[in-house]
Amino acid sequence: MKTYMILFIVVFLMHGMTLVNVTLFDGDWNGIVLMISNLLFLVACVLFGAEFRAHRRAKG
């Protein structure tokens, strides 16, 4: 799967969780949603960094 597709899915999940939390749960799960969003962001950063490093090694 392409890196940009993984990043798009992560952003979609983060925004979807926030939307569901605000509309269905009236913001009761803010802490849990924030924690999961932060973990998804860190996973996306690690995946992007690994892909960037692999691409740079392949060129050089």
Side-chain angles (χ1 to χ4, degrees):
M1 189 179 288
K2 296 280 187 183
T3 305
Y4 66 86
M5 192 64 174
I6 293 171
L7 295 177
F8 180 75
I9 290 170
V10 168
V11 169
F12 180 78
L13 286 172
M14 290 169 64
H15 283 281
M17 285 187 317
T18 303
L19 178 67
V20 168
N21 182 39
V22 170
T23 56
L24 295 180
F25 301 117
D26 293 326
D28 289 337
W29 293 18
N30 283 336
I32 295 170
V33 170
L34 182 63
M35 181 188 66
I36 295 171
S37 291
N38 284 335
L39 289 174
L40 284 172
F41 177 75
L42 288 174
V43 167
C45 287
V46 168
L47 289 174
F48 178 76
E51 184 69 25
F52 181 77
R53 185 176 296 165
H55 184 67
R56 191 167 64 175
R57 284 185 186 166
K59 273 188 170 180

